[in-house]
Structures are given as structure tokens and as C-alpha cells.
Amino acid sequence: MTTNSLYSTFCLPGDPADISVYQSDVDTSHTLITNVFNNNGLFQEHISTTPPPKLRIMPLQISKDALHTLKDTYSIGDELWDLTSTFGDKPMSAAVGEGGMKVRSGENGVQDISYRLTFPTPVPGGVHSWTMRQMAVFHHHDPNDLQNLWIFFHVGSDTPMQKEIKQYASLSQQGLRSDHAWHTLHSAAFSSCLDNWRSYVNSLGYEVDRHTDKSLDFILRNIDRVLTAGGTTNLTGIHNTRDLLVPTSYRLRVILDTLAKLGDLSSVLSSQNNSTDNGFQKLVTCVGYHKDRLEGCVVGVEVLKEKVKDILNMSTLGLDFRMTHEMLDLNNRMVKLNDRMISANKVVAFLTVIYLPASLASSIFGMNLFKFDDGTTEEFKVSRQIWIYVVTTFVLAIVTMGISYLWSHKEQIIRPFWRFLKLRIHQETKDMSSDTYELRSS
């Protein structure tokens, strides 16, 4: 089925439709007749030309125009559009707070009830893999048993909700009352959508426990300074699980709010019904059962969220240990490299101290200021004055090393000198004061 990107719940006008209509017969008002439409135009013609029956049930996958015709036929308010505004195959996290039950009251006690249920379904062939689906419910209720309309969006041909509707249609041959439809169809909507929530939360709990074990192993190995490569991968899995947990609690709260409102409304209608055994009271009991189950799921989700926080803290601690160990190892390598550089610099400095004076001396004596031969031969001769060069080089080397030592140890040399100087000045000042005192005394 091709879908419109703006109205993802609708098929395009020219696409095949999937519309099942179960409506009451004119003669026997609670016996349902089944009509299936694969064309939106035929469906629009049917609801436009057929008088509204007392009971009509429609699981719909239709076009926007066909739904607009249905809205006009039954004078339905804008809440029908609210059901479909963010409706799609994959619910968005930004819309987790939407879909709660809305009730619009009209004349003579007529009420339009609408809500949208978000529920998890297992992915075929996947292990602990789930996807979120939606089902929208609209109920036009007339307490006088006139023109009761049920609309179910995105039910599908083989879904549990479609099977429940077919079963109710088959039982209608026994002459069911309208309050039975109230109980049966609302209960079927909740049962078909909410039964998987406990399994889904348990699956999330399994994932959280699995990540907890990996995180503990990760941090213990890093404390022992045995680096592991799987820590970052597990951290990604933890964040993905947290992203599933955060919207889950809000979706469950929306469903709980819907159950509470529907239960209150059913209690009011039950009090207006003279029968002691009516469908309104049965739905109150059914709603209470689902509320108890989902409240347990909400508590479970909150516990899992706290565990995920602890896991993230533990994983962060493990990563800190790992980073600290790597930084210490890098620092040790840098210290060793620095020691090697210092040793190499010492060798270079020592050779410079040895050869620099010699180079200076050779430069001085190579300026033709001295003549070391008698000028009578071109043969190379060692001058008797070579000792001048040797002595000069040695003296300059001693002076250079002395200056280098004094410069590198200037703190150790200057500090005692200043201390001695201060003590000397202090002593002389003290002596002068003593002499002055003696002169004054005399």
C-alpha cells in the first residue's frame, strides 16, 4: 500500500483500500452484516446512500477523502483528525505524550470517544527485537442505542483486533445488546494491544542485565589494568537501551490515563443502567485489570532507568581507569624519552665544551698574526710555539666549563652568598649598635 507522507495513516485515493464494515441489519438491529470494500469510492457511496444503522463497526485503511465523507455523515468533530495527525508505522519519540483519551459530549448524552494505543510487537525472526505499532479507536456512542459507530485504524486483516471484531460479528446472531459491544470492543482493543507490554519490559530488563554484567567485567578488567576492547561497544548498547526506556514510561502513562478515563466513564454509564450485569460494569473490571498490569510495568521501567544510570556511571568509571592508565603509560614513555634527550644533550654539550675553545683558538691563530716557520722551506713544520695553542685551548676550556657550571648552579651559589651577606650586614649593624650604646653610656 502506497502512503501519503503527510497523512501516513491514509492510502492515496487511487490506491486499493482495505475497509471492513460490520453494520446492523434494519430488521434485527443487533445482527451484523459484513461488507468489505477494496475501493474508496464505493465505500464513500455506501455510507452516503445507506441510512446510518444502529451499530456500525469499521476497521479502516482508507483515503483522507473517504474519511472526510465519513466525518461529515456522522457529524464527527476534529478529534478524528487528531487521531491521525501523527499516526504512522513507526511512532516518533516526540509524540509519546499524544493519543490520550478524549471525550466530546453532545445532545441527549451522545458522546464521541477517541484514543490511540501504542504497543510493542515482536519482529519476526528477531531475537529480543521489537517494534512499536499504533491503533486508533473512535467510538460514537448514543445511549439511546442509535447510530453507534466504531472505527478502528490500521487493524490489518490478520491482527488480533480484526479477529475479535469478526468473532463479535459472528456472536451478534444471538442478539447482543449495545452495552455488550461497549465491553467487548473496548476490551478487545486493550487486550490486543497491551498484552505485549509486559514481555517488552521484561525484554528490556534482560538487555539491562546483560549490559550490567558486561560493564562490571569491563570495569574490573580495567581496574586490574587489563585493557578490553569491548567497553565502547557495550556503552553504545547501553545508550540504545536507555533511548528505548525513556519514551516507554511516557507511553505507558498515556495508556494508563486512557484506561482511567474510560473506567470512570463506564462507571457513570453503569450507574445509569438498571441491569445488574451489564457491559459497562464488566469494562470497569477489565480496565482495572489492565491498569494493575501496566502500573507494574511502569514501576519496572523506572527501576530499569535507574539501573541504566548506574551502568553508565560504572562504564564511565571503567573508561576513566582505562584513560588514566593510558595517560600514565604515555607519561612514562615521555619521561624516558626526555631522559634520553637530556643524556644526548649532555654529550653534545660536553663535546662542545671540548671543541669550542679549540675552534676559537685555531681561529685566532689562523689569522696570520703569528708565524711558526722560518720561511726557508715549503714543507710543513710543527712550530716550537705550539704549546701556546695547547695552553690557550686548555685555559679557555676550563673557563667555559666553569662559567657553564656557575650558570647552571647559580641558585645554589647565589643563595648562600646572599645569606652570608645578609648575616654579615646584620652582624655589622648589631656591632655598630652595640658600639653606639657603649659610647652613650660612657
Side-chain angles (χ1 to χ4, degrees):
M1 179 181 67
T2 305
T3 58
N4 190 315
S5 59
L6 182 59
Y7 299 98
S8 56
T9 185
F10 304 127
C11 60
L12 297 176
D15 291 338
D18 185 7
I19 307 171
S20 302
V21 180
Y22 304 87
Q23 63 184 39
S24 58
D25 186 54
V26 177
D27 299 326
T28 55
S29 59
H30 295 294
T31 300
L32 300 181
I33 301 173
T34 305
N35 295 281
V36 179
F37 299 93
N38 296 320
N39 183 281
N40 284 284
L42 294 177
F43 169 73
Q44 290 176 261
E45 181 181 356
H46 174 75
I47 63 174
S48 300
T49 58
T50 304
K54 290 187 176 181
L55 181 62
R56 177 177 279 171
I57 305 171
M58 301 183 205
L60 297 180
Q61 286 181 328
I62 64 176
S63 67
K64 180 186 175 185
D65 294 336
L67 187 64
H68 188 75
T69 302
L70 180 64
K71 180 177 179 292
D72 292 341
T73 302
Y74 280 88
S75 300
I76 302 172
D78 292 334
E79 60 271 14
L80 192 62
W81 301 121
D82 292 338
L83 286 177
T84 59
S85 60
T86 57
F87 197 87
D89 292 337
K90 186 177 181 179
M92 302 299 292
S93 296
V96 294
E98 300 178 3
M101 179 176 166
K102 297 180 178 65
V103 180
R104 185 172 70 94
S105 300
E107 297 179 356
N108 299 323
V110 176
Q111 295 173 325
D112 289 342
I113 304 165
S114 60
Y115 54 88
R116 185 170 68 244
L117 299 176
T118 303
F119 56 96
T121 57
V123 177
V127 180
H128 301 290
S129 298
W130 297 79
T131 184
M132 286 292 166
R133 299 297 183 192
Q134 293 174 314
M135 184 181 73
V137 179
F138 177 83
H139 180 202
H140 176 85
H141 174 69
D142 189 338
N144 301 311
D145 200 21
L146 299 175
Q147 297 183 9
N148 276 271
L149 172 68
W150 294 80
I151 305 175
F152 299 92
F153 293 96
H154 273 204
V155 176
S157 57
D158 296 326
T159 60
M161 188 64 217
Q162 180 73 6
K163 296 176 181 178
E164 291 286 347
I165 294 173
K166 289 181 179 180
Q167 182 179 6
Y168 178 79
S170 63
L171 293 176
S172 68
Q173 305 297 326
Q174 304 175 10
L176 300 176
R177 303 191 309 269
S178 61
D179 60 325
H180 286 181
W182 176 278
H183 164 253
T184 303
L185 296 179
H186 279 301
S187 298
F190 289 121
S191 298
S192 61
C193 297
L194 304 185
D195 286 347
N196 284 336
W197 271 110
R198 177 176 291 180
S199 299
Y200 176 69
V201 173
N202 289 338
S203 177
L204 290 177
Y206 168 79
E207 290 296 316
V208 171
D209 290 340
R210 184 170 63 89
H211 292 312
T212 301
D213 294 338
K214 286 187 176 182
S215 298
L216 288 173
D217 180 69
F218 173 69
I219 186 174
L220 290 175
R221 288 179 178 272
N222 281 281
I223 289 176
D224 293 337
R225 296 189 177 183
V226 180
L227 300 184
T228 55
T232 53
T233 304
N234 186 53
L235 191 60
T236 302
I238 296 170
H239 279 281
N240 293 338
T241 304
R242 184 194 62 179
D243 292 341
L244 294 176
L245 283 170
V246 171
T248 296
S249 58
Y250 293 100
R251 290 190 174 111
L252 289 173
R253 290 191 182 99
V254 170
I255 298 174
L256 284 172
D257 180 68
T258 298
L259 289 170
K261 290 181 178 179
L262 187 59
D264 294 340
L265 181 59
S266 298
S267 297
V268 173
L269 295 176
S270 176
S271 64
Q272 298 172 358
N273 193 296
N274 296 325
S275 175
T276 57
D277 182 20
N278 57 72
F280 303 115
Q281 187 58 42
K282 290 181 179 178
L283 185 61
V284 173
T285 305
C286 177
V287 165
Y289 166 74
H290 287 295
K291 283 181 62 178
D292 290 339
R293 293 189 67 187
L294 289 186
E295 286 173 353
C297 291
V298 171
V299 174
V301 170
E302 294 301 323
V303 171
L304 293 178
K305 287 167 66 175
E306 292 299 323
K307 290 188 69 175
V308 167
K309 290 181 181 179
D310 293 338
I311 295 172
L312 290 174
N313 292 334
M314 287 190 297
S315 298
T316 302
L317 181 60
L319 290 174
D320 288 342
F321 271 108
R322 179 174 181 174
M323 185 62 68
T324 302
H325 180 265
E326 291 181 352
M327 291 299 294
L328 288 175
D329 183 65
L330 179 61
N331 183 68
N332 293 333
R333 293 182 183 180
M334 293 298 294
V335 169
K336 292 180 180 179
L337 180 61
N338 185 61
D339 292 339
R340 292 179 181 177
M341 293 290 293
I342 292 174
S343 300
N345 289 335
K346 287 181 178 179
V347 174
V348 172
F350 179 76
L351 294 177
T352 302
V353 168
I354 296 300
Y355 289 102
L356 184 60
S359 176
L360 178 62
S362 63
S363 299
I364 294 174
F365 292 115
M367 297 173 64
N368 295 323
L369 297 177
F370 302 93
K371 185 176 181 181
F372 296 100
D373 58 8
D374 55 4
T376 60
T377 179
E378 294 180 357
E379 294 181 0
F380 176 77
K381 294 181 178 180
V382 178
S383 176
R384 295 179 180 178
Q385 286 81 16
I386 192 64
W387 62 271
I388 301 176
Y389 171 74
V390 176
V391 171
T392 303
T393 300
F394 180 76
V395 172
L396 289 176
I398 295 298
V399 171
T400 303
M401 288 188 291
I403 294 174
S404 176
Y405 178 81
L406 293 175
W407 181 261
S408 60
H409 295 79
K410 58 184 177 181
E411 294 293 335
Q412 291 84 345
I413 297 174
I414 294 176
R415 189 180 295 111
F417 172 75
W418 281 110
R419 186 182 298 111
F420 171 77
L421 185 60
K422 288 180 180 179
L423 290 175
R424 185 63 180 174
I425 293 173
H426 177 71
Q427 183 66 33
E428 291 181 356
T429 303
K430 185 177 180 181
D431 294 341
M432 290 177 62
S433 300
S434 178
D435 294 339
T436 303
Y437 177 75
E438 291 177 358
L439 289 173
R440 290 179 179 179
S441 299
S442 62

